[in-house]
Amino acid sequence: MSARSSQSHTSTPSNILEQVRQCAASVTRYPLDILTEHAQLEDELGIDSVKLAEIAAVIAREFQLPPDRLPRNGKARTLGAIAGAVTEALGTEPGPALHVTPVPAVIEPKAAVQAQDLLPRVRAVFARVTRYPEDLLTPHADLEDELGIDSVKQAEVMAVLMKELGLSDAPKPSQRLRTMAAIADAARALLPAAPPITEARPRAPVHVAPAPVPSHTELPFEGKVALVTGSGKGIGRVIATRLARAGATVVVNSFHSREDGEKTARDIVDAGGKAVHLWGSVAQEDHLERMFAAIREQLGGLDLLVCNASNGLIGPFDRIAPRDWDKAFRTCITGTYECAMRARPLMATRGGGSIVTMSTSMSQRYMHDLGCQGVVKAGVESLTRYLAAELAPEGIRTNCVSAGPVHGELLGMFPDAPERVARWESATPGGRLCTADDVADVTELLLGPKTQRVNGAIWVVDAGLSGTVDGLLPAARAS
C-alpha cells in the first residue's frame, strides 16, 4: 500500500472515486451525499446524457485524460463505473499528479479550416443555447451520440444561428448535419459572396416586460400554496407561471431539467410572483420525502397539486423494453399516487384542496408511436377517479386534464415530426392544435373555485382531434 501511495502519478481508487464525485457535484450542483458510488445516474439521480457529457468533460480535464477514454451513452450508469474507467485509463496511461489544470487550447483539425470563419460562431451559439463548456464542443464530435444534443435542441441552435447570420433559409432537412464542422460548412454555403463574417459584438440585453399581474380582486389563488411537478419547462412551466400570476406561492419541481426548474422559479419571482424550486424525482421515494418535508416545514401546507411529471418512450412497441415500461409506470402512476397521498394530510389540515393529474387524449385512442404513454396514461385516468372517491371526504377534489398534441418540445420527439404535425392539424376541426396555454386554461379552471362540484372528471383538451381517425394512424394507413 505504501509503495503505491508513493507514486506521484497515481491515486488510490477511493481517491479517484472522491474526485469523480466532486466533478459530478460541480456540474450538477447536487449535494455530495446523494452522489454515491452505485446510484444509477439516470434513473435515480436524473442525470441525462447531456449533463453526463458535461461531467465527462470535467472529469477528463481533472485527470488529464482524452474524453474518449471515458464511458458514454448509457455505458456509464454509475459514478463507480466512471471511476473504474478512470482507474483503468490511469493504469495504462500514467500521467502527472491529479489536479485541476487550465484547459489547453483546442487545435482544430485541418478539415475544419475550410469553415474557420464560421466555426467559432457555431460553437459560441451551441455553447450559449446548450450551456456546454466550449472545450467540450469540438468540431467533429457527433452532436447526438457523443454530446447528447437531441434533434429538438439542435433545431433551437439552428434557429438562433440562422438569425445571427441573417439567413432566411436553413440547410435542407434531408441534410444530416451531425457535427458542428458540417453545420459550419452548410451555413457557409448559404452565405452570399461577402467579406468574411466578423465577430459579432455583444448585443444589448432585451428586457421583456412581465405580463401584468391581475388586480387584487382577480387573484383566485392568493394565499394558496401550489406544487407543480415537472414544471421546469413545457406545459408544467406555463401552468406554474399562470398559478403564480393568479396569486399562488408556487413550488416549482424539476428532476432531469434542474437548471430549467431553477430558472422558472427565478422568472416567477422576477415578475413579482412567489416561487421556490425543489429538485427531485416523483419516481424516487426518498426524493418525495425530502420535497414534501420541505413544503410542510417552509410553507406550512399545500392547497393545490398538479401532477405533470411524466415519462414514456416515444416509438413503436418493438422498441419499448421492460425498463422503459418500468420508468413510465413509476413516474406516471406510482409518482402521481405518491404525490397525492403525501399531499393529502397537508391539504386536509387546511380544509381541503384540489389535485389535477395530466393524461393524453390518446389514452382511449390509437396514435402511432404513443403506445407507452397512451397505455400508462389510461392508468392515470383510472387512478384519478379512484383518488377522487378516496379523498373527497377530506375536501380534496381530483380531476384530470387529458391533452392532445400540444405545440412545443414534445412534438419534436416524434419521428417525421413536421409531417405528422401537418397531418394532425389537417385532421383537427378548425385546423389548429392546442398550445400549452390552452392546457393551462383548463388546469387553472379545475383547480379554482368555479369548479367546486367537479370531481373525478377527465377533461379532454385537444381541439377535437381525438374525435377523428385521420391523422392518428401512420401516413400509409391514413391514406
Side-chain angles (χ1 to χ4, degrees):
M1 183 70 179
S2 60
R4 290 191 61 182
S5 62
S6 65
Q7 297 176 10
S8 62
H9 60 272
T10 61
S11 293
T12 64
S14 61
N15 286 343
I16 290 176
L17 176 61
E18 183 60 28
Q19 287 174 272
V20 167
R21 292 176 65 218
Q22 292 285 352
C23 290
S26 70
V27 173
T28 63
R29 290 184 289 160
Y30 286 8
L32 269 175
D33 62 328
I34 71 170
L35 294 171
T36 58
E37 179 178 2
H38 301 294
Q40 294 289 314
L41 295 176
E42 182 177 1
D43 294 348
E44 296 181 51
L45 300 179
I47 299 174
D48 58 18
S49 58
V50 176
K51 191 63 67 177
L52 181 58
E54 292 184 52
I55 294 172
V58 173
I59 292 173
R61 291 201 302 269
E62 172 78 4
F63 292 93
Q64 300 182 27
L65 292 173
D68 59 7
R69 295 303 305 270
L70 299 179
R72 291 173 177 267
N73 300 332
K75 296 178 182 178
R77 296 194 179 278
T78 66
L79 293 178
I82 296 177
V86 171
T87 303
E88 181 180 351
L90 292 174
T92 56
E93 294 184 4
L98 304 178
H99 56 85
V100 178
T101 57
V103 183
V106 177
I107 300 176
E108 308 290 355
K110 291 183 179 180
V113 175
Q114 296 176 358
Q116 61 182 356
D117 51 341
L118 282 180
L119 261 177
R121 295 286 294 278
V122 172
R123 293 177 66 196
V125 171
F126 266 91
R128 188 165 72 250
V129 175
T130 65
R131 289 189 282 184
Y132 279 20
E134 277 205 41
D135 61 307
L136 176 67
L137 299 172
T138 55
H140 297 285
D142 189 286
L143 295 173
E144 187 164 357
D145 293 346
E146 294 184 55
L147 300 178
I149 302 174
D150 60 22
S151 58
V152 176
K153 187 62 70 175
Q154 289 179 38
E156 184 180 345
V157 174
M158 290 299 293
V160 174
L161 182 64
M162 294 302 103
K163 183 176 181 181
E164 288 201 2
L165 296 179
L167 296 175
S168 57
D169 296 323
K172 302 297 183 185
S174 59
Q175 290 181 262
R176 293 287 291 168
L177 304 178
R178 304 190 65 93
T179 67
M180 277 170 286
I183 290 174
D185 285 335
R188 190 167 185 263
L190 294 172
L191 288 173
I197 299 173
T198 58
E199 184 177 354
R201 294 184 178 180
R203 299 181 180 180
V206 178
H207 298 285
V208 180
V213 177
S215 66
H216 181 79
T217 57
E218 299 175 334
L219 297 177
F221 299 127
E222 185 171 15
K224 304 291 186 181
V225 177
L227 166 63
V228 184
T229 67
S231 50
K233 55 187 177 182
I235 293 175
R237 174 186 167 89
V238 175
I239 292 173
T241 303
R242 292 276 291 271
L243 294 180
R245 205 176 294 164
T249 297
V250 178
V251 179
V252 177
N253 158 253
S254 62
F255 180 45
H256 289 293
S257 52
R258 179 171 186 158
E259 293 176 352
D260 291 328
E262 293 172 343
K263 183 177 185 303
T264 296
R266 285 197 306 271
D267 289 346
I268 289 174
V269 172
D270 290 345
K274 293 170 287 187
V276 295
H277 175 258
L278 290 180
W279 172 85
S281 167
V282 301
Q284 302 294 328
E285 188 172 0
D286 57 334
H287 290 203
L288 287 173
E289 287 291 343
R290 287 198 301 269
M291 287 167 52
F292 279 87
I295 293 171
R296 181 176 60 252
E297 294 165 8
Q298 298 176 25
L299 302 173
L302 190 66
D303 302 284
L304 312 171
L305 169 64
V306 180
C307 297
N308 176 70
S310 185
N311 198 318
L313 183 71
I314 302 295
F317 272 177
D318 58 9
R319 284 188 48 213
I320 302 173
R323 180 170 175 266
D324 300 314
W325 285 110
D326 181 59
K327 288 167 61 177
F329 192 94
R330 282 191 294 117
T331 302
C332 299
I333 302 289
T334 307
T336 296
Y337 166 79
E338 291 289 347
C339 283
M341 298 310 290
R342 283 173 168 77
R344 181 180 192 171
L346 299 181
M347 291 180 172
T349 58
R350 296 163 75 93
S354 182
I355 300 172
V356 170
T357 65
M358 306 299 287
S359 179
T360 170
S361 61
M362 296 304 114
S363 64
Q364 306 300 323
R365 301 293 301 272
Y366 173 82
M367 177 177 280
H368 191 51
D369 288 331
L370 203 67
C372 186
Q373 283 200 23
V375 169
V376 173
K377 291 296 189 179
V380 169
E381 295 180 9
S382 180
L383 175 62
T384 300
R385 298 185 184 97
Y386 275 82
L387 287 172
E390 293 268 347
L391 305 185
E394 289 156 290
I396 301 171
R397 298 182 298 116
T398 309
N399 295 289
C400 178
V401 173
S402 180
V406 173
H407 280 299
E409 183 176 306
L410 180 62
L411 291 192
M413 298 174 66
F414 281 87
D416 306 318
E419 293 82 359
R420 290 194 187 209
V421 170
R423 191 163 71 249
W424 291 335
E425 288 188 327
S426 66
T428 300
R432 291 175 54 195
L433 297 182
C434 291
T435 67
D437 277 302
D438 296 325
V439 178
D441 284 339
V442 178
T443 303
E444 192 173 352
L445 179 64
L446 287 173
L447 289 171
K450 294 182 179 180
T451 52
Q452 285 297 316
R453 305 305 299 171
V454 178
N455 194 25
I458 314 297
W459 283 28
V460 176
V461 184
D462 69 354
L465 176 61
S466 57
T468 73
V469 174
D470 291 341
L472 303 185
L473 298 175
R477 300 183 188 179
S479 59

